[in-house]
Amino acid sequence: MSVTEAQAPAAEPAIRTEHLTKIYSQRLIAVNDMNLQVPRGSVFGLLGPNGAGKTTTLRLLLGLQRPTAGRAEVFGKLCGPNAVAVRSQIGYLPTNPKLPEDLRPIEYLDLLGKLSRLPGEVRKPRIASLLRDVGLLDATDQRIGTFSTGMCTRLGIAASLVGDPPLLIWDEPTAGLDPSARRFTLDLIRELGKTKTIVVATHILGDIDQVCDHLGVMHEGRMIFTGSMQDIQRRIGREDFTLELEGDPENISRLVREAANLEGVEVRAASSVPVRVSSPEVSGLKCEVSSGDGALQTSDVKLPTSKDNGTVLVRVADGRRRARALADILQLVDACGLSLHGVHSGQNATENAYLQLLQEDEAHGFHR
Amino acid sequence: MDSTAKTFALGTKLMPYLAILEHDLRALWTSRLVRLWLAATAVMTLLLAAANWAKFQDATLIASLLFPYLVFPWFFVVVVLGVSPVSGARAEVLADGILSRPVSRCEYLLAAWSARVLLVLGVYLVVTVPAVAIVTLAKRPVPEDAVTLFGIVSSLGVVALVLTFLVSLGFLAGTLLRKPLLAAVVLVFVWYPIGIVLNAFSLEEFSPISLSRAMSTQLRQPWRAADAEARGKANAQDMEALARQMDHFLSVFSNGQPSPAAKPDFFEGGRFTDFSLLRVILGYGLPTLMAVALAMVFFHRRDL
């Protein structure tokens, strides 16, 4: 933790925006009256579809752009083009970072270290350590222009960490990465999240689910939701588990019927979550989604499924032990002659909640 | 101990500026444009010197070597070098790589401007200083000339000042207009007819062609041309002339009746004896500072 961060009042959020607004050329509203607070020490996911204003928000925080109205603060300091003290607290990783192609990794990181005013005796060992941490030790003699997308992202990550800032702002850090590089990046975020505040802007829900503890959802320049991951998952039906089953549909119906006798457990055969099937066909199903107040609504949808595959949602009542409830359900699955293909715990809740938030925002129209 | 600490603090404070300066100088040096320019300017200097070796006296030959920097064609290269730092695709690399770090825009602009000025002056001096030394020291089949060290230094300095002004002008255009090609084209259209424009404001003695014509006279100027009193009087006359020029310049804008501009002997006799170093320094120095200051203001207000 840096001295500056330590000196700031503990209650002070890492990032605070008040009525932050950015309008380009009096034509395009990129950020619309945004009020946001990112708690210190959190891993904050900034989620939104393409064009929602995520990158603009981050650039406003960095002072790369000037707000049309409102203000943004980082650790209590006002953001702006000459806010050097603010940027010294931030490690920024842009989407697919554009790096100087003629430099080699050590030269580039050394330049950034000097920009952060790090003396040589601190800078050099840190650069070596960072290059090792991001797995670029073997590429130190290559020019950055020869790097792949993944290598550029790794170098960008190292670049964001050169000054050892207390706040990391990473814009779509997993964009264009292969699975192993993606895994590496997410693991790194988890690790860094233990000591730093991290803001990850992305439209990939899987990333948010895996690493974030707080979330902000942006849509058309506005922040339509902020809160903890639990908060957003509570907004939708609280199915605690999703079971992927294979077997006779009759047996699945039987499972649902028999599960109704279990105390504090509700089981529904439904496909409100993506259905993973081996031989997709199209058939009519009842799809259950929850409305904003948590009530379930039912509507006819057509989803791909197979007569031998099904997904059931399991909701565990408050106060009932989840492990015990799952054990009971699994016993029933076995008793009904069904094969279990997978158990997912709340994995799709964020996605459903996110889509629901966007849908609600679209529907609100003028009330926005 | 205290002075060491102060030096260390100053070094730390200047670290980003020096880092950007070094990075930009290196990037510029590795660019094809700069290397081609260096080669071309060396070749042209060699050709000019060789062609006029037995024809011109020292002052005229040196003035002819300086002509390409003042009038044509090197101004275009200098302007293009000035345009590039904050425009086009470079702006994106700049935002991602440098300006998202703990660096103020002012620091960045000053460092980038310094790098361009140093590079341009470096290329210019690396070629002209040896050429001038050879011309003045070599035994040539022409009559002896009264070229002075002061004359050489001041003439080289005047050209350096004009080049610095051109870099700054390119810098300002590159900041105002996001497209480097557009900025370069605009500058060419501004700089080519600059003689006519300056003439309209009775400032023709500052035009590159006038300066070029005055070079041979300036090269023969001794350090102590007159005593201190005379110099004081000359400076007062310079300031008076400058004030008159400013008055005329402003009256053109305000559509007022300008007092008839006294045409200096400079143009009439072709002797260029009233070439004033002070006026030239002010005439190019102030707009240079103004261009850099304006570039900073515009860049500060710009979104990246």
Side-chain angles (χ1 to χ4, degrees):
Chain A
M1 184 183 284
S2 74
V3 175
T4 318
E5 189 195 9
Q7 283 169 346
E12 186 87 54
I15 296 172
R16 184 210 307 268
T17 69
E18 287 171 9
H19 306 291
L20 190 65
T21 304
K22 179 67 187 175
I23 304 173
Y24 290 115
S25 310
Q26 303 283 350
R27 289 178 198 160
L28 177 71
I29 302 173
V31 177
N32 190 349
D33 196 23
M34 178 196 282
N35 295 301
L36 169 69
Q37 290 204 1
V38 175
R40 279 166 185 262
S42 63
V43 179
F44 188 91
L46 189 57
L47 188 62
N50 290 328
K54 304 185 294 291
T55 299
T56 305
T57 305
L58 302 187
R59 292 174 88 85
L60 286 167
L61 292 173
L62 285 158
L64 295 174
Q65 303 197 344
R66 297 160 65 87
T68 310
R71 57 192 274 138
E73 289 176 4
V74 169
F75 295 123
K77 294 194 181 77
L78 195 63
C79 302
N82 278 335
V84 175
V86 168
R87 283 196 289 275
S88 68
Q89 308 275 300
I90 301 175
Y92 175 55
L93 171 69
T95 318
N96 297 326
K98 309 274 184 305
L99 307 172
E101 297 185 349
D102 54 324
L103 295 186
R104 292 180 174 85
I106 294 176
E107 293 169 331
Y108 178 57
L109 295 181
D110 195 49
L111 168 68
L112 299 187
K114 286 176 181 170
L115 297 184
S116 298
R117 295 172 170 83
L118 295 177
E121 59 270 26
V122 175
R123 202 168 64 231
K124 304 286 180 185
R126 190 175 291 170
I127 289 170
S129 161
L130 283 171
L131 284 172
R132 191 184 59 239
D133 290 347
V134 298
L136 286 177
L137 268 186
D138 295 339
T140 48
D141 58 344
Q142 288 180 39
R143 290 194 188 278
I144 295 171
T146 64
F147 277 20
S148 65
T149 309
M151 289 166 86
C152 282
T153 303
R154 282 167 186 252
L155 184 58
I157 287 171
S160 74
L161 294 167
V162 164
D164 192 23
L167 170 65
L168 297 176
I169 294 182
W170 288 6
D171 193 359
E172 302 198 13
T174 57
L177 298 186
D178 62 40
S180 68
R182 179 169 175 267
R183 170 59 46 208
F184 163 82
T185 307
L186 295 178
D187 287 346
L188 190 63
I189 293 172
R190 259 192 293 268
E191 188 60 33
L192 291 167
K194 291 174 187 168
T195 54
K196 295 175 188 292
T197 307
I198 307 181
V199 176
V200 180
T202 184
H203 57 262
I204 304 171
L205 282 150
D207 292 356
I208 297 275
D209 264 333
Q210 288 186 52
V211 298
C212 297
D213 49 41
H214 284 74
L215 181 70
V217 180
M218 286 191 76
H219 186 225
E220 294 178 346
R222 286 172 316 103
M223 189 63 74
I224 58 175
F225 173 86
T226 52
S228 68
M229 291 300 285
Q230 290 80 5
D231 288 341
I232 194 167
Q233 285 166 7
R234 258 184 235 121
R235 284 183 66 93
I236 195 154
R238 300 183 303 275
E239 53 272 6
D240 294 275
F241 301 104
T242 307
L243 305 185
E244 287 177 41
L245 303 171
E246 186 180 336
D248 194 325
E250 267 306 311
N251 288 342
I252 292 178
S253 302
R254 193 180 134 212
L255 168 70
V256 173
R257 279 197 306 276
E258 292 191 11
N261 299 326
L262 293 173
E263 192 188 340
V265 176
E266 192 180 344
V267 177
R268 285 186 170 83
S271 294
S272 63
V273 291
V275 180
R276 296 172 182 83
V277 289
S278 51
S279 55
E281 294 169 8
V282 175
S283 66
L285 283 179
K286 293 288 184 190
C287 174
E288 294 173 326
V289 294
S290 78
S291 62
D293 56 6
L296 287 174
Q297 299 167 336
T298 305
S299 59
D300 288 319
V301 293
K302 284 189 180 291
L303 285 171
T305 186
S306 157
K307 68 175 182 177
D308 291 333
N309 287 281
T311 303
V312 294
L313 306 177
V314 180
R315 181 184 292 181
V316 182
D318 292 341
R320 178 82 149 92
R321 287 169 61 196
R322 283 161 57 89
R324 185 75 229 166
L326 182 62
D328 292 345
I329 294 292
L330 291 179
Q331 273 183 355
L332 274 180
V333 168
D334 190 44
C336 294
L338 294 164
S339 300
L340 180 66
H341 276 210
V343 181
H344 304 281
S345 175
Q347 191 167 14
N348 299 306
T350 314
E351 179 175 332
N352 289 338
Y354 167 67
L355 293 173
Q356 185 189 322
L357 278 167
L358 295 190
Q359 210 169 20
E360 282 172 14
D361 192 57
E362 296 276 1
H364 279 165
F366 188 69
H367 292 295
R368 285 183 290 182
Chain B
M1 185 70 183
D2 191 36
S3 68
T4 313
K6 272 183 185 169
T7 311
F8 181 74
L10 184 67
T12 309
K13 203 171 181 183
L14 287 178
M15 201 185 277
Y17 170 83
L18 294 173
I20 299 166
L21 179 68
E22 185 190 341
H23 171 250
D24 267 21
L25 271 176
R26 194 206 295 218
L28 284 167
W29 175 242
T30 52
S31 75
R32 280 202 196 107
L33 176 67
V34 170
R35 294 197 172 182
L36 277 174
W37 180 42
L38 181 61
T41 191
V43 169
M44 182 173 271
T45 303
L46 192 69
L47 288 177
L48 282 171
N52 301 309
W53 187 256
K55 275 196 242 170
F56 293 156
Q57 282 184 288
D58 289 358
T60 319
L61 183 52
I62 293 170
S64 75
L65 297 181
L66 298 180
F67 179 85
Y69 296 95
L70 280 176
V71 184
F72 186 82
W74 303 140
F75 85 91
F76 186 72
V77 181
V78 174
V79 157
V80 168
L81 281 172
V83 160
S84 56
V86 290
S87 54
R90 227 186 108 87
E92 204 173 348
V93 180
L94 177 68
D96 287 0
I98 294 180
L99 291 175
S100 58
R101 316 289 162 186
V103 178
S104 71
R105 292 191 180 189
C106 186
E107 270 175 322
Y108 172 76
L109 263 196
L110 271 182
W113 177 79
S114 312
R116 271 140 192 88
V117 169
L118 282 178
L119 184 100
V120 166
L121 297 187
V123 169
Y124 153 66
L125 291 174
V126 147
V127 174
T128 51
V129 169
V132 168
I134 291 168
V135 166
T136 48
L137 297 175
K139 293 276 180 203
R140 297 191 296 123
V142 289
E144 281 285 314
D145 201 351
V147 169
T148 64
L149 183 61
F150 168 70
I152 291 173
V153 171
S154 61
S155 300
L156 291 178
V158 165
V159 178
L161 187 60
V162 174
L163 293 177
T164 306
F165 171 70
L166 284 175
V167 171
S168 312
L169 207 60
F171 213 71
L172 176 60
T175 313
L176 277 173
L177 308 165
R178 284 171 181 248
K179 293 178 182 168
L181 187 63
L182 178 64
V185 169
V186 166
L187 283 171
V188 168
F189 277 99
V190 167
W191 194 245
Y192 252 124
I194 193 70
I196 300 166
V197 175
L198 289 173
N199 190 37
F201 296 108
S202 292
L203 298 170
E204 54 269 62
E205 71 172 290
F206 297 119
S207 81
I209 290 178
S210 302
L211 289 180
S212 181
R213 289 170 71 192
M215 276 300 134
S216 45
T217 307
Q218 181 62 23
L219 280 160
R220 296 183 184 111
Q221 284 287 318
W223 170 241
R224 289 184 175 276
D227 58 23
E229 191 188 335
R231 265 191 281 128
K233 198 192 258 180
N235 282 351
Q237 283 170 351
D238 281 345
M239 296 314 292
E240 198 180 310
L242 197 68
R244 231 180 10 247
Q245 282 168 336
M246 285 306 294
D247 178 47
H248 188 82
F249 179 79
L250 294 172
S251 66
V252 170
F253 279 118
S254 60
N255 212 14
Q257 285 297 313
S259 53
K263 201 119 184 165
D265 297 341
F266 194 85
F267 296 98
E268 300 301 334
R271 290 172 55 241
F272 309 106
T273 47
D274 69 344
F275 174 88
S276 162
L277 203 54
L278 179 68
R279 282 211 299 274
V280 170
I281 289 170
L282 289 175
Y284 275 95
L286 291 178
T288 299
L289 294 177
M290 206 181 292
V292 176
L294 277 176
M296 279 186 191
V297 170
F298 286 124
F299 192 54
H300 181 73
R301 300 196 61 80
R302 195 168 122 177
D303 283 340
L304 292 168

